[in-house]
Amino acid sequence: MTRPLHPDTLAVREAVERSQYGENSEALYLTSGYVQPSAEASARRFAGDEDGFTYGCYGNPTVASFERRLAAMEGAEACMSTASGMSAILMMCLGLLKAGDHVICSQSMFGSTIKLIGSDLAKFGVESSFVSQTDVGAWQAAVKPNTRLLFAETPTNPLTEVCDIQALANIAHNAGALLAVDNCFATPVLQRPIALGADIVMHSGTKFLDGQGRVMAGALCASQQMVTEKFLPVLKSGGMTLAPFNAWVVLKGLETLDIRVRAQSARALALAQWLEAHPAVARVYHPGLASHPQHELAMAQQSGVGGAVLSFDVKASDPDQARQRAFHVLDSLKVLSLATNLGDTKTLCAHPASTSHGRLTEAQRQAAGIGQGLVRVAVGLEHFDDVTADLDRGLSSF
Ligand SMILES: *Cc1c(COP(=O)(O)O)cnc(C)c1O
């Protein structure tokens, strides 16, 4: 009997079999088609009766290595990758929902998620309710006879609100619905939603999985049956295929995910504490702070680590001044980047109200709690003193 391998080991080892050349690092296969051994074998492969690659849209060995590795790290049976995080959400919705079905989401989800589910899918007759992230009772109260999916993101972007995955899984399952969790912020290093009862884990590979801000990627981790029966058909008809090169970059990123997430999270907590003591800062949002409203839940659910993203509100007397001051902090940066990605080794700062949440209506933005003075910091690996000096330049000169 061999013992099951630990997540650290799977993160560097899980992949498809080596080629006949015995390469130690997983190969990058750039090919759109695959030569078939026979017409009969080809027919069986297209029918799904035999394993084997057929066409670049449907599968690729490098992409398969990424999928196997991420599934192993999430403790899922299977994974289906996509071209971006948003196309993973689109695949999930197209695969699981039809006109007349109802979805419940948190009102503080990623801006494009709110737009996709609340507006784009509404055109096709999918109903949705957006509820308070942290109020379990509100999720329960929103359940209807046609509810098919609960979709949560925890911690949220950018306010790091945490929801109780286990409680939401119970609500979903009692209603005969599924729970999907966007695990972009915590990553499987800190949080494994499937072990807590979630049915689907969604990822933007663009963020921590890549980890160096290079490529777009997305993924859904779920049961083998759901991947084969619900997601693969959408991939074949929708074509939101992850490019092999991008899969290779993200596959390599998974190897260092654990040490990056832990190191960046430690720096984020130290920065959150520094900001909390800064006279120009009104409020800091980071799950590792004792002042965070769901601090205890976050620590229990996220392996005792708050994550590498934080946000803060500058002190101001009105929304116009708040926006002006937040812009001043961002425009005073000389080392950190003014950029809207996250999970990069470079620290990235952004103004959510005019970027990630800029397409929302003012009412949606207020429901999500995104004020004009809010600055998000996705903490990277720079020296702590250089990060604080760069932020202090603007914060100390309003
Ligand atoms: C970035 C992000 C997405 C979307 O991913 P893309 O790869 O940009 O399409 C979804 N959810 C969260 C929490 C994100 O941060």
Side-chain angles (χ1 to χ4, degrees), residues 83-89 109-113 151 153-157 182-185 202-207 215-218 340-342 376:
S84 66
M86 288 318 301
S87 60
I89 300 176
M109 301 284 282
F110 186 64
S112 297
T113 306
F151 188 24
E153 177 189 318
T154 183
T156 55
N157 176 30
D182 181 334
N183 204 24
C184 190
F185 270 50
M202 176 259 146
H203 271 288
S204 166
T206 318
K207 312 292 169 56
V215 299
M216 304 290 299
T340 55
N341 191 23
L342 64 95
R376 187 189 75 184

Side-chain angles (χ1 to χ4, degrees), residues 93-160:
C93 294
L94 291 178
L96 299 177
L97 303 172
K98 60 181 189 319
D101 287 347
H102 175 241
V103 188
I104 308 172
C105 294
S106 153
Q107 65 199 6
S108 12
M109 301 284 282
F110 186 64
S112 297
T113 306
I114 295 176
K115 209 73 186 160
L116 176 67
I117 294 177
S119 307
D120 298 329
L121 288 178
K123 290 192 292 190
F124 299 93
V126 173
E127 289 176 43
S128 52
S129 303
F130 291 85
V131 300
S132 161
Q133 165 86 357
T134 54
D135 182 355
V136 176
W139 289 79
Q140 179 65 61
V143 170
K144 302 205 246 178
N146 56 340
T147 302
R148 295 284 168 267
L149 181 68
L150 275 63
F151 188 24
E153 177 189 318
T154 183
T156 55
N157 176 30
L159 294 180
T160 72

